[in-house]
Amino acid sequence: MEAEFRARAACPPAKERETPPSSPAAASPAEDAPLLLGDGVVRRRAMRERFAERSVSFRRDVGHAAAETFLLTRLTFTLLRYLGIGYKWIRQFLALCCYALLLMPGFIQVLYYYFFSSQVLRSVVYGEQPRNRLDLYIPAGSTGLKPVVAFVTGGAWTIGYKGWGALLGRRLAERGILVACLDYRNFPQGTIGDMVEDVSQGISFVCNNIARYGGDPERIYLVGQSAGAHIAACTLVKRAIKECGEGDTSNWSVGQLKAFFGISGGYNLLNLVDHFHKRGLYRSLFLSIMEGEESLRKFSPQVLVKDVAVRSAVSLLPHIILFHGTSDCSIPHAESEAFLDTLQQRGAKVDLFLYQGKTHTDLFLQIARKSLSIMLA
């Protein structure tokens, strides 16, 4: 009995044996579920709070950026006003931006053609100056030498660029006419004397090299629009005077041009100073472009032609054809009428086409292409 008692004491029954304490990892899922749910709720609440804080911070940053942009814009307009760029120019610039937005679909098509068409040769070098470049619009799918248009773009002598002629170049190229759009130095990069020099070099390049691109050197037409018409007319008249006085035809001769087309141009700067001043191209700026008041006569084609001393030079000029709209407010159509009268008095061959109700840009975009296409066909 004693031995049996000792055995039982050494090995108690199974129900009396102690169960070792369980580790945290061994806890049942049912016991841990409430704790995990509570942690998720806390985490979601924290995420919502952080998102709300970020939203408030984002709105605050946007408001701050908008306030700074408004301040910067207001200060810019104030600075431009003190520099002499008045509210009239600013209003016109904003109106131009709105107009450009309305025409954006058409601009996109022209830009795509300009940058990606195989018919366009961009930035062909014709001189040593940085802006001495021209774009060539070459007719496709045709044989034989083609008529050539050397085009001088407008831009108030300040924003002219060869790319402005892309639409004209495309339309004329579709009609079998090779177009060379000349770039030139604008103010303040250059003054009117530099512009005339650049255009003269560009014409020289066209006259002497256009055959390599399929153009006919015997059928070259000079075309200028707005300020470009003034620069081209100055170049033409000065070249004729130089040839008559010095007999210099080493680079090019006015006899190599079949005709000059002046579109919405101004040809007597003495009559335009006050007109431009009223329209926002202020007298001080305009005189700086034209190299001072004393140079206005020197760069006015109509005044040059009036000079009795250059009568023989006028006889060298090619056929001059002027276009102007009667509703042109930028440059009055009286400019072309006065130039016509002066040229006729000096015996030049000249014609004027006035278009009723057409404005400065209407004439170029709607009529000039058709008129040129018919005359050059």
PDB file of all heavy atoms in Angstrom, residues 267-270 296-298 300-307 342:
ATOM      1  N   TYR A 267       4.190 104.334 -96.871  1.00  0.00           N
ATOM      2  CA  TYR A 267       5.309 104.723 -97.723  1.00  0.00           C
ATOM      3  C   TYR A 267       5.808 106.144 -97.467  1.00  0.00           C
ATOM      4  O   TYR A 267       6.762 106.569 -98.095  1.00  0.00           O
ATOM      5  CB  TYR A 267       4.899 104.564 -99.191  1.00  0.00           C
ATOM      6  CG  TYR A 267       4.348 103.188 -99.489  1.00  0.00           C
ATOM      7  CD1 TYR A 267       2.983 102.966 -99.623  1.00  0.00           C
ATOM      8  CD2 TYR A 267       5.197 102.082 -99.577  1.00  0.00           C
ATOM      9  CE1 TYR A 267       2.475 101.697 -99.868  1.00  0.00           C
ATOM     10  CE2 TYR A 267       4.707 100.808 -99.825  1.00  0.00           C
ATOM     11  CZ  TYR A 267       3.337 100.619 -99.965  1.00  0.00           C
ATOM     12  OH  TYR A 267       2.833  99.361-100.192  1.00  0.00           O
ATOM     13  N   ASN A 268       5.161 106.871 -96.546  1.00  0.00           N
ATOM     14  CA  ASN A 268       5.624 108.197 -96.149  1.00  0.00           C
ATOM     15  C   ASN A 268       5.582 108.276 -94.629  1.00  0.00           C
ATOM     16  O   ASN A 268       4.531 108.530 -94.036  1.00  0.00           O
ATOM     17  CB  ASN A 268       4.755 109.291 -96.771  1.00  0.00           C
ATOM     18  CG  ASN A 268       5.351 110.680 -96.582  1.00  0.00           C
ATOM     19  OD1 ASN A 268       6.200 110.890 -95.718  1.00  0.00           O
ATOM     20  ND2 ASN A 268       4.910 111.637 -97.391  1.00  0.00           N
ATOM     21  N   LEU A 269       6.725 108.054 -93.995  1.00  0.00           N
ATOM     22  CA  LEU A 269       6.781 108.009 -92.539  1.00  0.00           C
ATOM     23  C   LEU A 269       6.449 109.345 -91.907  1.00  0.00           C
ATOM     24  O   LEU A 269       5.983 109.397 -90.757  1.00  0.00           O
ATOM     25  CB  LEU A 269       8.172 107.550 -92.095  1.00  0.00           C
ATOM     26  CG  LEU A 269       8.627 106.173 -92.600  1.00  0.00           C
ATOM     27  CD1 LEU A 269      10.007 105.837 -92.061  1.00  0.00           C
ATOM     28  CD2 LEU A 269       7.625 105.094 -92.222  1.00  0.00           C
ATOM     29  N   LEU A 270       6.670 110.437 -92.620  1.00  0.00           N
ATOM     30  CA  LEU A 270       6.362 111.758 -92.074  1.00  0.00           C
ATOM     31  C   LEU A 270       4.878 111.895 -91.758  1.00  0.00           C
ATOM     32  O   LEU A 270       4.496 112.613 -90.824  1.00  0.00           O
ATOM     33  CB  LEU A 270       6.792 112.849 -93.067  1.00  0.00           C
ATOM     34  CG  LEU A 270       8.294 112.921 -93.376  1.00  0.00           C
ATOM     35  CD1 LEU A 270       8.542 113.892 -94.523  1.00  0.00           C
ATOM     36  CD2 LEU A 270       9.072 113.323 -92.138  1.00  0.00           C
ATOM     37  N   LEU A 296      13.619 110.158 -91.167  1.00  0.00           N
ATOM     38  CA  LEU A 296      12.303 109.790 -91.678  1.00  0.00           C
ATOM     39  C   LEU A 296      12.207 109.977 -93.190  1.00  0.00           C
ATOM     40  O   LEU A 296      11.625 109.147 -93.891  1.00  0.00           O
ATOM     41  CB  LEU A 296      11.218 110.618 -90.971  1.00  0.00           C
ATOM     42  CG  LEU A 296      11.024 110.329 -89.477  1.00  0.00           C
ATOM     43  CD1 LEU A 296       9.941 111.239 -88.907  1.00  0.00           C
ATOM     44  CD2 LEU A 296      10.660 108.867 -89.240  1.00  0.00           C
ATOM     45  N   ARG A 297      12.756 111.055 -93.689  1.00  0.00           N
ATOM     46  CA  ARG A 297      12.716 111.298 -95.129  1.00  0.00           C
ATOM     47  C   ARG A 297      13.552 110.270 -95.883  1.00  0.00           C
ATOM     48  O   ARG A 297      13.174 109.814 -96.966  1.00  0.00           O
ATOM     49  CB  ARG A 297      13.214 112.719 -95.437  1.00  0.00           C
ATOM     50  CG  ARG A 297      12.443 113.824 -94.750  1.00  0.00           C
ATOM     51  CD  ARG A 297      13.004 115.187 -95.099  1.00  0.00           C
ATOM     52  NE  ARG A 297      12.795 115.485 -96.505  1.00  0.00           N
ATOM     53  CZ  ARG A 297      11.691 116.050 -97.002  1.00  0.00           C
ATOM     54  NH1 ARG A 297      10.692 116.377 -96.187  1.00  0.00           N
ATOM     55  NH2 ARG A 297      11.578 116.286 -98.298  1.00  0.00           N
ATOM     56  N   LYS A 298      14.678 109.907 -95.299  1.00  0.00           N
ATOM     57  CA  LYS A 298      15.591 108.965 -95.955  1.00  0.00           C
ATOM     58  C   LYS A 298      14.990 107.576 -96.103  1.00  0.00           C
ATOM     59  O   LYS A 298      15.367 106.819 -97.008  1.00  0.00           O
ATOM     60  CB  LYS A 298      16.898 108.911 -95.159  1.00  0.00           C
ATOM     61  CG  LYS A 298      17.970 108.047 -95.770  1.00  0.00           C
ATOM     62  CD  LYS A 298      19.294 108.212 -95.039  1.00  0.00           C
ATOM     63  CE  LYS A 298      19.196 107.778 -93.587  1.00  0.00           C
ATOM     64  NZ  LYS A 298      20.515 107.808 -92.911  1.00  0.00           N
ATOM     65  N   SER A 300      11.578 106.993 -96.362  1.00  0.00           N
ATOM     66  CA  SER A 300      10.209 107.130 -96.868  1.00  0.00           C
ATOM     67  C   SER A 300      10.245 106.988 -98.387  1.00  0.00           C
ATOM     68  O   SER A 300      10.680 107.906 -99.095  1.00  0.00           O
ATOM     69  CB  SER A 300       9.613 108.487 -96.480  1.00  0.00           C
ATOM     70  OG  SER A 300       9.447 108.596 -95.081  1.00  0.00           O
ATOM     71  N   PRO A 301       9.829 105.865 -98.942  1.00  0.00           N
ATOM     72  CA  PRO A 301       9.911 105.653-100.393  1.00  0.00           C
ATOM     73  C   PRO A 301       9.217 106.739-101.207  1.00  0.00           C
ATOM     74  O   PRO A 301       9.731 107.157-102.247  1.00  0.00           O
ATOM     75  CB  PRO A 301       9.242 104.287-100.583  1.00  0.00           C
ATOM     76  CG  PRO A 301       9.397 103.603 -99.268  1.00  0.00           C
ATOM     77  CD  PRO A 301       9.323 104.674 -98.239  1.00  0.00           C
ATOM     78  N   GLN A 302       8.061 107.199-100.735  1.00  0.00           N
ATOM     79  CA  GLN A 302       7.353 108.229-101.479  1.00  0.00           C
ATOM     80  C   GLN A 302       8.165 109.520-101.540  1.00  0.00           C
ATOM     81  O   GLN A 302       8.237 110.178-102.596  1.00  0.00           O
ATOM     82  CB  GLN A 302       5.995 108.504-100.833  1.00  0.00           C
ATOM     83  CG  GLN A 302       5.179 109.549-101.578  1.00  0.00           C
ATOM     84  CD  GLN A 302       3.925 109.933-100.832  1.00  0.00           C
ATOM     85  OE1 GLN A 302       3.494 109.238 -99.916  1.00  0.00           O
ATOM     86  NE2 GLN A 302       3.312 111.041-101.233  1.00  0.00           N
ATOM     87  N   VAL A 303       8.792 109.903-100.442  1.00  0.00           N
ATOM     88  CA  VAL A 303       9.615 111.112-100.414  1.00  0.00           C
ATOM     89  C   VAL A 303      10.827 110.950-101.316  1.00  0.00           C
ATOM     90  O   VAL A 303      11.217 111.885-102.037  1.00  0.00           O
ATOM     91  CB  VAL A 303      10.039 111.431 -98.970  1.00  0.00           C
ATOM     92  CG1 VAL A 303      10.978 112.636 -98.937  1.00  0.00           C
ATOM     93  CG2 VAL A 303       8.815 111.694 -98.097  1.00  0.00           C
ATOM     94  N   LEU A 304      11.438 109.780-101.293  1.00  0.00           N
ATOM     95  CA  LEU A 304      12.609 109.541-102.147  1.00  0.00           C
ATOM     96  C   LEU A 304      12.249 109.661-103.620  1.00  0.00           C
ATOM     97  O   LEU A 304      13.000 110.234-104.420  1.00  0.00           O
ATOM     98  CB  LEU A 304      13.190 108.154-101.859  1.00  0.00           C
ATOM     99  CG  LEU A 304      13.823 107.950-100.479  1.00  0.00           C
ATOM    100  CD1 LEU A 304      14.246 106.492-100.303  1.00  0.00           C
ATOM    101  CD2 LEU A 304      15.020 108.869-100.290  1.00  0.00           C
ATOM    102  N   VAL A 305      11.091 109.119-104.003  1.00  0.00           N
ATOM    103  CA  VAL A 305      10.680 109.151-105.405  1.00  0.00           C
ATOM    104  C   VAL A 305      10.374 110.578-105.851  1.00  0.00           C
ATOM    105  O   VAL A 305      10.561 110.942-107.025  1.00  0.00           O
ATOM    106  CB  VAL A 305       9.469 108.227-105.619  1.00  0.00           C
ATOM    107  CG1 VAL A 305       8.885 108.384-107.022  1.00  0.00           C
ATOM    108  CG2 VAL A 305       9.873 106.769-105.386  1.00  0.00           C
ATOM    109  N   LYS A 306       9.916 111.425-104.923  1.00  0.00           N
ATOM    110  CA  LYS A 306       9.597 112.814-105.261  1.00  0.00           C
ATOM    111  C   LYS A 306      10.834 113.621-105.639  1.00  0.00           C
ATOM    112  O   LYS A 306      10.736 114.620-106.354  1.00  0.00           O
ATOM    113  CB  LYS A 306       8.899 113.490-104.080  1.00  0.00           C
ATOM    114  CG  LYS A 306       7.429 113.169-103.941  1.00  0.00           C
ATOM    115  CD  LYS A 306       6.823 113.958-102.798  1.00  0.00           C
ATOM    116  CE  LYS A 306       5.325 113.707-102.662  1.00  0.00           C
ATOM    117  NZ  LYS A 306       4.742 114.484-101.542  1.00  0.00           N
ATOM    118  N   ASP A 307      11.975 113.202-105.130  1.00  0.00           N
ATOM    119  CA  ASP A 307      13.206 113.948-105.379  1.00  0.00           C
ATOM    120  C   ASP A 307      13.516 113.957-106.879  1.00  0.00           C
ATOM    121  O   ASP A 307      13.594 112.908-107.526  1.00  0.00           O
ATOM    122  CB  ASP A 307      14.357 113.305-104.599  1.00  0.00           C
ATOM    123  CG  ASP A 307      15.609 114.173-104.581  1.00  0.00           C
ATOM    124  OD1 ASP A 307      15.698 115.111-105.416  1.00  0.00           O
ATOM    125  OD2 ASP A 307      16.488 113.913-103.753  1.00  0.00           O
ATOM    126  N   THR A 342       2.439 109.709-106.714  1.00  0.00           N
ATOM    127  CA  THR A 342       3.839 110.126-106.862  1.00  0.00           C
ATOM    128  C   THR A 342       4.544 109.294-107.922  1.00  0.00           C
ATOM    129  O   THR A 342       5.295 109.824-108.750  1.00  0.00           O
ATOM    130  CB  THR A 342       4.566 110.005-105.516  1.00  0.00           C
ATOM    131  OG1 THR A 342       3.899 110.812-104.542  1.00  0.00           O
ATOM    132  CG2 THR A 342       6.010 110.466-105.639  1.00  0.00           C
TER     133      THR A 342
END
